[in-house]
Amino acid sequence: MNLLPSWSFTAVQEYLNCPRKYQLNRVLKVMPFVESEAMRQGNIIHKHFEDRIRVGAKFPEHLTKYEPFIQKMERKVINNEWLEMSAETEVVFDRNMELVGCWGQTSPRPWFSKSAFYRGKFDIVALISKTKAMVLDLKTGKRKPDNPQLELFAAVAFKALPDLEQVVTGYVWTKENGAVDKQTFFREGTDGLTDNVSAKSEADIWAEWLGYVERIEQSMQNNKWPCKPSGLCGWCDATPKQCPHSKK
């Protein structure tokens, strides 16, 4: 039985961090969403980047420090070094992991399709050539070294664009004036792991992530949602009645 209606990187990450919180938030839906000031500011920055890439809108004065970063990419498109660049591109797959659609500057929008199973969004996508793309994610928080989201970005890009052979993914750290941590992926993987090149193939990445999805579906089927206490408990909105590790 397929109980899981849909999934995303954020949803899987929440489950891996704590199955109990996932249940409270996404199954029982008893944890109301509260937008923090950091989240609000992050959404504002994302919107300014989106408007700049889509319609050429100027950055407000407090974001002009990102001009060198965005102008460098714009010149790549103007000089025909890149085929195109888009912002806030949504990618949707069905339960068979077949592409439902991509939505950037065109319609109809597949995000709300009844057949949507995986939903993902790319902050910035540059199609460098028919066989190479770059996917960037704007990060407005503290810089930290991890790459599970970069791996999933690469796998999604490979599946959405079958001609791609290479995908460069990266986090853009807005608090560090647009510093970028990049990693390169090849569809068939590589023989060895180097600093910025992943050995994982597209198939390796999907096997790992769909394995996580299967674990969520097993929890839904068995109704087992163990608590996973960690340093994240202090940021969780669960009450003592909902979780014995609550810090509320």
Side-chain angles (χ1 to χ4, degrees), residues 16-82:
L16 295 177
N17 287 337
C18 180
R20 176 58 173 162
K21 182 180 179 182
Y22 179 99
Q23 182 204 27
L24 293 171
N25 191 31
R26 298 178 184 271
V27 180
L28 301 177
K29 302 183 187 299
V30 294
M31 294 178 66
F33 172 76
V34 179
E35 184 181 52
S36 67
E37 179 60 21
M39 293 172 63
R40 191 183 74 83
Q41 291 297 326
N43 289 335
I44 290 174
I45 291 176
H46 276 76
K47 180 58 177 173
H48 282 303
F49 269 89
E50 177 185 358
D51 291 345
R52 174 59 176 267
I53 293 172
R54 287 192 173 181
V55 298
K58 292 183 178 181
F59 281 140
E61 185 174 351
H62 70 285
L63 294 182
T64 54
K65 60 184 178 181
Y66 302 124
E67 279 292 343
F69 168 77
I70 198 72
Q71 287 180 8
K72 183 178 179 180
M73 294 194 294
E74 289 172 337
R75 285 195 295 271
K76 294 281 189 181
V77 178
I78 294 172
N79 295 333
N80 295 318
E81 297 177 50
W82 292 355

Side-chain angles (χ1 to χ4, degrees), residues 83-101:
L83 298 181
E84 62 179 89
M85 180 170 62
S86 60
E88 297 299 312
T89 300
E90 298 172 351
V91 183
V92 177
F93 298 123
D94 64 17
R95 187 168 286 276
N96 295 317
M97 297 307 292
E98 296 293 335
L99 183 66
V100 176

Side-chain angles (χ1 to χ4, degrees), residues 38 42 45-46 138-144 172-176:
I45 291 176
H46 276 76
L138 298 172
K139 293 295 187 184
T140 57
K142 184 179 179 181
R143 192 174 187 175
K144 54 184 179 180
V172 180
W173 301 100
T174 61
K175 286 187 176 180
E176 299 196 22

Side-chain angles (χ1 to χ4, degrees), residues 173-187:
W173 301 100
T174 61
K175 286 187 176 180
E176 299 196 22
N177 296 328
V180 183
D181 291 336
K182 294 181 181 178
Q183 191 161 32
T184 298
F185 297 84
F186 293 89
R187 186 181 291 273

